[in-house]
Amino acid sequence: MINRLLVANRGEIARRVFATCRALGVQTVAVHSDADADAPFVAEADQAVRLPGSSPTETYLRVDLILDAARRSGADAVHPGYGFLAENAEFAAAVTDAGLTWVGPPAKVIAAMGDKLAAKALLAEAGVPMLPSWTDTDEITDFPVLVKASAGGGGRGMRIVRTADELAEAVASARREAAAAFGDGTVFIERYVERGRHVEVQIFGDAHGRVVALGDRECSIQRRHQKIVEEAPAVVPDGVRTALHEAAVAAGRAVDYLGAGTVEFLLAPGGEFFFLEMNTRLQVEHPVTELCTGLDLVGLQLLVAEGEPLPAALPASTGHAIEVRLCAEDAAAGWRPATGTLHRFSVGAVATEFGGLAGPGLRLDSGVLAGSVVGVHYDSMLAKVIAWGRTRAEATRLLASALARAELHGVTTNRDLLVRVLRSPAFAAVEIDTGFLDRHPEVFAPLLPADRLPITALAAALAAAAQRRATAPVLSGLPSGWRNVPAVPQVSRFVGPDGDEIEIRYRLDRTGRLAEWSSTSAAEGAPERPTATETTGSAGEPIVALVEATPDRVMLDVDGVRRAYRVHRVGSAVFVDGPDGAASLVELPRLPLPTAAVAAGSLLAPLPGVVTRVHVEVGQRVAAGDPLLTLEAMKLEHPVLAPIDGVVAELPVPTGGQVQTGAVLAVVDEKDPR
């Protein structure tokens, strides 16, 4: 029996395993870097052990530190989570050699499947269909192809190559990224299937020789080859489903599989499928399988690790579950990772966290809470939001609505993109594949329409006025915004989500009613918005009346329809959640202080990171879009491109240099000094 379990991972992964341990009466041990000392998973563990080290990322990869933590805490078992060390055969062997119970497949199985080239050869002998692959680039004559990391997954070290001219740089870039993420830069190349779908099968094996399939999942909607929307079951014909399950079980039996694993396939448009890889761990997307089967897959892992057989009767999949990965990133800016403090993190109507559901509803598996700091050291995923419904349409509607209503303040997320994907006609029609996002650029638009941003800013201004009246030391009984000269409007200025300035002018009468309002955008070429009143409007402006305004809630009547806006202020930052979407605004001071200016043409670091490559030299002429340097953050490479045609005037950061947000990376002079 397992009595005290150490989880060799962090964040949402550790919290998920701890939830099952609490239900089973198993004591828990967390390990953490200094960067994670105040993280929720550390606080939830029965014991926590600090991992010393100068690099927050390397601490979790130190086998010696993990084993020492297990010894000091008295743990008798280790669960690797589903990342970092989960597919490290040496770690599995070291845990077993230390006399501890390893919650996962044996080291020899991990090693066999960890080398993707060797795994493909082994499973091909077992009859699992394979794509052609190469290690020698000189052998490749047909394109497109896909460069893949041999030692890892999660989309890291993966590149699509469509022409021979792109191949060498793609291989070099993939090797660098794979080496940074997995410590192994080995890559191989496969034929790339256009409009292929990513479908996977959950398998489980026990020590008594039984290997079973516990359902399948659709994971085709991806960014940078990383899944962001997953669902169970996959929408495939019954004949294809049966063949997928048989191939997955055959793969498991070929290696005497033990524990939880996932066999991933590429489904071609004609129904033919090919083996991609076997993940010898529990997958991030396992909750959709749990909700459809009612099983606790972590509980099954512990059961099998204790030597017990799988239950004789396993439930069939019912209903439909959809999961989205809520990430701290700006999808419209090339998936740029985002950092900061989560001032508010609320996904309403959640029925359960890290567990099953008794009926239709929402599940939240989160690694963060309100107040959590999102840094640059780890993956950008904040949480998984999962919905179960009797049908796919029911689950989709529930999940999209919950995301749209969520209050996510302080860090840019991919929430709007996820909602647009779920509400898109193509998703409803199951017209999905791994290239879905490339073919549907419309899903990158923010939920809040541009023409609704002025009303949202008006709500922010009215809430601020209400806050000032509520905290006024004198005459607090006067209506918010009341002036002794009522003909003069109040003025509030904000920086909008796109960086443009918005000026709101409004006037309240002596009863506190909105007499008139107008807005002006500082965007280039944007005309001043004409005045609108509660009785008349012009040039298509909405007719707006103020119903009520408090510091955290504003009710407006817009063209005869009442709309409620939730307002949350943190310093000068104002977060507004309305019926059309959310907006993050920054209120500008009425008397701004002078600030230092940067040189024209300066490229600023969008987030902290390390400059891994500098592609140009000072004095070199570049064209708009040319790569200047490469910035690495959150384990991914981010190219920094020239914004204009010009000459490189400055390169203040050398290769290997670390930068903070806002640091000048390069200066491009539009004028040719020659």
Side-chain angles (χ1 to χ4, degrees):
M1 294 286 289
I2 295 173
N3 294 304
R4 183 172 297 164
L5 180 71
L6 181 147
V7 178
N9 216 301
R10 61 177 298 279
E12 169 265 330
I13 303 170
R15 295 187 75 200
R16 166 67 191 94
V17 178
F18 291 166
T20 290
C21 288
R22 286 193 296 270
L24 297 178
V26 176
Q27 297 179 55
T28 57
V29 180
V31 291
H32 67 89
S33 67
D34 289 340
D36 275 339
D38 298 322
F41 79 94
V42 177
E44 290 178 4
D46 295 317
Q47 299 184 53
V49 180
R50 172 183 175 268
L51 300 177
S54 58
S55 170
T57 53
E58 291 177 358
T59 52
Y60 289 103
L61 301 178
R62 289 276 303 275
V63 173
D64 58 332
L65 297 181
I66 301 294
L67 292 179
D68 181 64
R71 178 187 59 79
R72 287 195 284 154
S73 63
D76 57 3
V78 173
H79 191 301
Y82 31 98
F84 292 112
L85 295 173
E87 295 181 286
N88 186 309
E90 294 180 0
F91 180 47
V95 169
T96 303
D97 292 344
L100 305 174
T101 298
W102 168 254
V103 183
K108 64 177 183 179
V109 175
I110 297 175
M113 295 297 100
D115 185 336
K116 291 181 172 53
L117 286 171
K120 285 168 66 72
L122 175 64
L123 298 186
E125 294 182 5
V128 181
M130 298 287 166
L131 283 167
S133 61
W134 307 269
T135 56
D136 186 350
T137 57
D138 292 336
E139 297 177 358
I140 301 171
T141 57
D142 295 326
F143 292 85
V145 295
L146 185 66
V147 182
K148 299 176 69 175
S150 179
R156 295 186 175 94
M158 192 176 291
R159 303 286 189 276
I160 297 174
V161 181
R162 299 191 178 278
T163 67
D165 293 341
E166 303 170 356
L167 186 58
E169 174 56 28
V171 169
S173 177
R175 283 175 175 160
R176 289 193 304 272
E177 193 167 278
F182 314 116
D184 185 344
T186 304
V187 299
F188 66 99
I189 303 159
E190 282 183 341
R191 177 166 66 87
Y192 180 70
V193 176
E194 297 282 5
R195 305 202 69 157
R197 288 169 58 186
H198 187 126
V199 179
E200 60 190 34
V201 179
Q202 176 72 62
I203 65 169
F204 240 97
D206 63 22
H208 304 271
R210 187 179 176 204
V211 179
V212 299
L214 296 180
D216 45 80
R217 300 184 284 255
E218 175 80 51
C219 306
S220 295
I221 297 181
Q222 305 175 0
R223 59 97 164 95
R224 287 187 169 182
H225 310 291
Q226 291 182 315
K227 309 160 191 174
I228 58 172
V229 180
E230 300 119 338
E231 52 185 310
V235 184
V236 297
D238 289 341
V240 173
R241 190 185 319 280
T242 299
L244 284 165
H245 288 200
E246 290 175 349
V249 170
R253 288 175 177 162
V255 294
D256 297 323
Y257 200 79
L258 179 70
T262 303
V263 186
E264 302 191 351
F265 297 96
L266 183 67
L267 182 64
E272 189 179 14
F273 61 86
F274 306 94
F275 173 83
L276 285 176
E277 62 184 5
M278 180 190 288
N279 289 298
T280 52
R281 55 180 168 85
L282 198 63
Q283 291 281 85
V284 175
E285 58 270 22
H286 76 274
V288 292
T289 298
E290 291 186 324
L291 293 188
C292 287
T293 61
L295 295 168
D296 181 336
L297 297 187
V298 174
L300 283 184
Q301 283 186 298
L302 300 181
L303 181 80
V304 168
E306 292 175 335
E308 296 295 322
L310 289 166
L314 293 166
S317 178
T318 60
H320 204 94
I322 305 177
E323 169 185 298
V324 295
R325 302 190 191 190
L326 188 63
C327 298
E329 62 189 11
D330 189 340
W335 309 102
R336 185 176 65 209
T339 59
T341 299
L342 276 168
H343 301 298
R344 183 169 292 175
F345 184 79
S346 174
V347 181
V350 170
T352 183
E353 294 188 57
F354 305 105
L357 285 171
L362 290 173
R363 166 175 161 175
L364 177 67
D365 287 16
S366 171
V368 297
L369 302 171
S372 293
V373 176
V374 180
V376 299
H377 304 299
Y378 308 113
D379 187 271
S380 63
M381 192 177 78
L382 302 174
K384 302 177 306 193
V385 188
I386 315 103
W388 184 90
R390 285 176 285 266
T391 65
R392 184 174 186 265
E394 183 180 293
T396 301
R397 181 180 62 190
L398 176 61
L399 183 55
S401 178
L403 288 169
R405 295 170 182 267
E407 296 182 352
L408 311 171
H409 300 169
V411 177
T412 301
T413 73
N414 63 341
R415 180 261 304 275
D416 286 12
L417 174 128
L418 295 172
V419 173
R420 287 202 178 275
V421 168
L422 294 171
R423 289 177 174 172
S424 69
F427 183 84
V430 202
E431 296 172 354
I432 53 179
D433 58 70
T434 57
F436 181 92
L437 296 180
D438 293 333
R439 289 196 314 280
H440 294 279
E442 69 276 6
V443 301
F444 289 86
L447 285 178
L448 183 66
D451 61 353
R452 290 292 183 182
L453 183 58
I455 295 178
T456 303
L458 173 64
L462 293 170
Q467 175 69 35
R468 289 191 290 270
R469 293 315 305 152
T471 57
V474 296
L475 301 176
S476 59
L478 290 177
S480 174
W482 185 90
R483 300 181 71 107
N484 191 41
V485 184
V488 179
Q490 299 273 5
V491 179
S492 295
R493 295 181 301 117
F494 301 91
V495 175
D498 56 1
D500 291 332
E501 186 177 318
I502 306 166
E503 183 176 277
I504 298 295
R505 292 175 174 267
Y506 66 94
R507 184 171 62 84
L508 304 181
D509 64 19
R510 294 185 183 276
T511 66
R513 298 169 63 194
L514 182 65
E516 63 180 58
W517 76 283
S518 65
S519 68
T520 304
S521 173
E524 184 177 354
E528 180 172 343
R529 294 178 179 269
T531 297
T533 73
E534 62 176 345
T535 57
T536 63
S538 58
E541 280 291 310
I543 302 172
V544 180
L546 173 60
V547 179
E548 70 170 317
T550 67
D552 56 6
R553 187 174 185 271
V554 174
M555 179 78 76
L556 299 175
D557 185 304
V558 183
D559 287 336
V561 178
R562 287 194 174 187
R563 296 171 175 266
Y565 296 85
R566 305 185 303 277
V567 183
H568 176 211
R569 175 182 288 271
V570 180
S572 61
V574 187
F575 307 100
V576 185
D577 296 282
D580 300 309
S584 297
L585 307 171
V586 177
E587 186 169 15
L588 297 174
R590 296 189 178 187
L591 299 173
L593 296 174
T595 58
V598 297
S602 296
L603 289 170
L604 307 183
L607 72 167
V610 177
V611 174
T612 56
R613 297 183 72 196
V614 177
H615 304 282
V616 295
E617 298 177 348
V618 172
Q620 181 175 332
R621 173 161 285 283
V622 295
D626 284 352
L628 302 181
L629 50 89
T630 300
L631 186 69
E632 182 183 303
M634 289 185 175
K635 296 186 178 180
L636 294 175
E637 290 188 341
H638 306 277
V640 177
L641 309 178
I644 56 174
D645 295 346
V647 174
V648 179
E650 295 181 34
L651 289 169
V653 185
T655 300
Q658 294 188 344
V659 296
Q660 297 299 316
T661 302
V664 177
L665 299 174
V667 177
V668 178
D669 192 341
E670 191 172 11
K671 299 177 182 179
D672 189 342
R674 295 170 296 180

